Amino acid sequence: MTGQSASTASAATEGVTATDEKAARDAIRAVNAKMRANYATLKSELTTQLSPVVVVSNNAVGGRFTLIHKGTRVETVDPVPEYFELAKSIAHVPLGVFSVLAAYLSDQVPNIANADRIDPHDLDMVVTKAPGDKGWITPLTAFKSTLQTAYTKLGTANLPLDLESSCDKILTEAVKFIDASVTAQSFDMVSFNRFAARVYPSIRVNMTFAATAQITGIEGLMKRWRTLIGEAAWSDLYVTVLSIWTTAELNQASIIIRRTMNQAKVDTHLIDLPTVETPSDPIAVALDNLARIVQDNIAAEMVFNTDLKVADALKGKEDLLSDEILQQIGGTAPTARTASFGTAAAGACPITGHTAAV
């Protein structure tokens, strides 16, 4: 503010009481409050108009999918074959063992191959038990009992042969590790890492089966719904995928659905919505967020028609003030992470070379 404008402002406010100032500022705040009320009304009306929409809520069985068309919830389906859940259940065994033992680890990073990848502070936060505490033995033994029951019944689960073999290996090695640790009344990161390395090839087999199940189930459902509502409607399809932060980037459902959509619109009509936790009403949350996105798409082109960069910010994930803040602090936006992919055949297990056909 220049000296002239500052003095003008001082003159304008001379004699104004604190009460007057508060009333004036409250009047200014009321403008934004009324804007938000109007915005919320528009959004509420829009949620009933959105069509067609597929809402995806990630769950333990590969995802729950709901089709909404012309204001009606047409169908809600868990489309992924059951062996997705079964393959992942056994693949999670090392994580289950880790979850029992982690609090009892040493708070010092050992001399292991990936030591530089472990944040010592993270480790210190995870370790909550005193050295020598044997409290892990009882819960680990209980987990072993669960694993043994699964192993005993594995042969009657009617799984594909490769999947049954990989599950057998994971369960067998886990029981061996638990037995050795309980007998010695001791474990450490080194012994756990050796166990994890022995079962990793089998985990990759299970991952192959799980991925194939999800692709098969989701693509089959999308094809059926596409036929149901017709090509014209499908070309304008919105998809909202709700996930938690840990699965938001390169979300499995989003990857599969993307190639079933209108490629000219997929970048703006496929919406990933990371949440802190799975909402109690995922459809309401999805539609509320989608309505905000859709009305902002129109608002951006009207309100910021003279500055398309700012319009793009309103239409996307960028905060409207981010550019201004970066300019003032002399910073630059963080570079987005990208992922590279190999050229392995689709559905081929990187360990066995087999496909996950069932």
Side-chain angles (χ1 to χ4, degrees):
M1 183 178 288
T2 65
Q4 181 180 3
S5 60
S7 61
T8 302
S10 298
T13 58
E14 188 174 342
V16 174
T17 68
T19 301
D20 293 335
E21 179 182 289
K22 181 180 184 306
R25 294 187 175 191
D26 285 346
I28 293 172
R29 292 189 184 96
V31 173
N32 191 52
K34 189 61 176 177
M35 179 282 294
R36 290 185 177 278
N38 294 339
Y39 185 96
T41 298
L42 174 62
K43 181 159 62 75
S44 178
E45 293 172 351
L46 180 52
T47 58
T48 66
Q49 290 281 102
L50 293 168
S51 178
V53 181
V54 170
V55 176
V56 183
S57 182
N58 283 302
N59 60 21
V61 298
R64 174 158 293 178
F65 292 67
T66 298
L67 173 64
I68 300 167
H69 187 42
K70 296 180 179 178
T72 301
R73 296 188 188 185
V74 178
E75 187 179 9
T76 296
V77 184
D78 295 340
V80 179
E82 188 180 14
Y83 68 89
F84 167 90
E85 180 186 12
L86 302 177
K88 288 193 69 176
S89 180
I90 302 304
H92 286 159
V93 166
L95 185 58
V97 175
F98 163 84
S99 299
V100 174
L101 298 179
Y104 300 87
L105 286 164
S106 165
D107 61 2
Q108 300 298 311
V109 179
N111 183 22
I112 54 178
N114 59 336
D116 61 326
R117 293 171 54 87
I118 299 175
D119 185 327
H121 182 67
D122 285 352
L123 178 60
D124 189 49
M125 296 296 97
V126 169
V127 176
T128 60
K129 306 300 182 181
D133 190 324
K134 306 299 182 185
W136 54 272
I137 293 178
T138 297
L140 191 63
T141 302
F143 189 47
K144 172 191 167 183
S145 178
T146 300
L147 301 181
Q148 286 178 316
T149 300
Y151 178 81
T152 301
K153 297 181 179 297
L154 186 62
T156 57
N158 195 27
L159 300 178
L161 183 58
D162 280 353
L163 180 56
E164 181 180 335
S165 297
S166 61
C167 290
D168 182 299
K169 175 68 173 178
I170 295 168
L171 291 168
T172 300
E173 291 293 341
V175 169
K176 286 181 181 177
F177 171 76
I178 292 171
D179 282 342
S181 300
V182 171
T183 298
Q185 295 197 8
S186 176
F187 73 92
D188 56 21
M189 193 178 291
V190 173
S191 65
F192 179 88
N193 283 13
R194 287 172 180 161
F195 151 63
R198 288 195 299 271
V199 299
Y200 179 69
S202 297
I203 290 174
R204 291 295 308 189
V205 174
N206 286 38
M207 290 170 67
T208 297
F209 275 94
T212 300
Q214 207 162 28
I215 293 168
T216 301
I218 293 174
E219 288 192 342
L221 179 64
M222 294 299 103
K223 182 178 180 180
R224 180 165 67 80
W225 280 352
R226 184 172 187 163
T227 301
L228 178 66
I229 68 174
E231 287 298 321
W234 192 264
S235 67
D236 289 323
L237 177 71
Y238 298 105
V239 177
T240 57
V241 180
L242 283 78
S243 61
I244 58 174
W245 180 86
T246 53
T247 61
E249 189 170 329
L250 287 177
N251 179 271
Q252 52 204 31
S254 298
I255 293 171
I256 299 166
I257 293 170
R258 170 174 285 273
R259 64 181 188 173
T260 72
M261 297 175 65
N262 178 354
Q263 296 304 295
K265 293 188 174 184
V266 68
D267 287 339
T268 57
H269 282 49
L270 174 58
I271 312 298
D272 285 292
L273 297 175
T275 59
V276 177
E277 57 184 34
T278 303
S280 59
D281 189 346
I283 294 175
V285 170
L287 292 179
D288 181 78
N289 279 272
L290 180 58
R292 176 189 293 272
I293 291 166
V294 171
Q295 71 188 51
D296 280 357
N297 286 344
I298 304 302
E301 300 302 333
M302 297 176 66
V303 175
F304 298 117
N305 67 87
T306 60
D307 190 335
L308 299 187
K309 190 174 189 302
V310 176
D312 285 342
L314 180 57
K315 293 171 74 171
K317 298 179 180 179
E318 187 178 320
D319 189 284
L320 289 183
L321 285 180
S322 59
D323 233 23
E324 184 64 31
I325 290 171
L326 288 169
Q327 286 183 33
Q328 292 192 27
I329 66 175
T332 56
T335 303
R337 288 184 295 167
T338 58
S340 58
F341 299 90
T343 57
C349 175
I351 305 301
T352 67
H354 300 165
T355 61
V358 294

